[in-house]
Amino acid sequence: MRIFIEKTIGLIIIALAIIYASVYMFLAVMGQVIFTKALSDLTGKKVTVGSFLVSPGFTFELRDFDIEGLAKSKSLVASIDVLRLFRKRLVFRKLILTEPQFFFNRYPAKVVDVHGSVDIVTPLPEKVPSNKNNKALPFGIARLVVKNGKIVFIDQTVSPSSIKIYLQDIDASVKNFYFYPTSRLTDFKLTAVIPWRDNEKQGRVELSGWLNSLKKDLRATLKINDIDAIYLYPYYSYWVDLDKARIEKARLNFVSEVSGLNNEITANCHLELVDMVRKPLEIGQSEEKASKLTNAVLDRFKSMDNGKVELKFAIKTKMDSPQFGFDNFKSAFENKLLRG
């Protein structure tokens, strides 16, 4: 009986070893194909990899990883959940991105003639045609880590030219991030800096919170300190003239407490002017109306908020189609002037 048990245990161990070796060899040969195809199906973009390495424990590393026009990374280390792979779900126990770069473009609306009428449409980035017969595997990440990342946002909707906003030195962690329905909470945390202009103080970004993608619930806190309002001037140039107002420098701090339930999102925002430098009047120069109006507005705000210049307002939007822009600040500004 004892010999039988020992032989059975030995056969089980050998079988498990064979299965392990088979899966390992399969990933070594087909892992790059599976990974690139899954991401290509998910993003609609061409995916390329410089080199692909597999180590025991089903952990692999991709070097010079690139999603055409969307993202690239010096190194990507990932560990696959093999059991879920057999259940036709591509889930990573961990995914570590080193020096990744992400690229986002906002395109202007175009006016086109449709059957004799004028419509405004927003062009979408071109996508690589996908085969409808090949559906993407359900995709998820149990733990995502970003080290020293960078985001490049190019907004081509502002005139007369586009504006670029960079987020760099990004360190982020995300837990339970899935692209298929699940009741698990997604926890996220991010820190980054924003280099506005040469020799100018950098902005600092902090984001933390959680979301339930299945129920569309959300709770998050966003803080952006040392915002360079002059750099962002193209967004509000149509209703403020900085030269006539004699505003040379201006820094802002922004905090938003975001909460959501059943897709209904409310962002309680607080924007405060923490530093402003005005251009001095030259000898014999008379003060223009815009400058006098700026003085009056600043004095009015300070009298309403104990010497501070700040805006407090709420934004209502949807989680599945969030809407947010500089018009929210403009409306809050005008409403506060009316109250004053």
Side-chain angles (χ1 to χ4, degrees), residues 104-218:
F104 299 96
N105 282 275
R106 185 183 181 192
Y107 298 94
K110 291 184 178 180
V111 178
V112 297
D113 189 354
V114 180
H115 304 298
S117 62
V118 176
D119 287 347
I120 297 177
V121 298
T122 302
L124 298 175
E126 294 184 0
K127 290 187 177 182
V128 177
S130 59
N131 188 345
K132 294 182 180 180
N133 295 325
N134 294 329
K135 295 182 179 180
L137 288 175
F139 180 76
I141 305 170
R143 181 170 174 263
L144 170 66
V145 177
V146 176
K147 299 179 180 179
N148 195 24
K150 183 177 183 179
I151 293 176
V152 180
F153 173 67
I154 302 175
D155 192 345
Q156 301 181 35
T157 64
V158 294
S159 58
S161 60
S162 62
I163 183 172
K164 293 183 179 180
I165 300 176
Y166 299 92
L167 249 67
Q168 64 184 35
D169 299 337
I170 299 174
D171 289 318
S173 63
V174 182
K175 294 181 180 179
N176 300 322
F177 185 51
Y178 298 99
F179 288 91
Y180 57 82
T182 177
S183 59
R184 292 187 179 184
L185 294 181
T186 300
D187 297 303
F188 53 87
K189 185 177 182 180
L190 178 146
T191 60
V193 299
I194 307 176
W196 299 110
R197 295 176 291 174
D198 294 338
N199 301 320
E200 292 291 334
K201 192 170 184 178
Q202 294 183 333
R204 302 186 308 279
V205 180
E206 296 180 11
L207 173 65
S208 62
W210 58 265
L211 68 87
N212 186 320
S213 58
L214 183 64
K215 296 181 179 180
K216 295 185 179 180
D217 298 341
L218 171 68

Side-chain angles (χ1 to χ4, degrees), residues 4-20:
F4 175 78
I5 294 175
E6 290 177 349
K7 286 183 178 181
T8 302
I9 294 174
L11 290 173
I12 293 174
I13 293 174
I14 293 173
L16 291 175
I18 292 174
I19 293 173
Y20 178 89

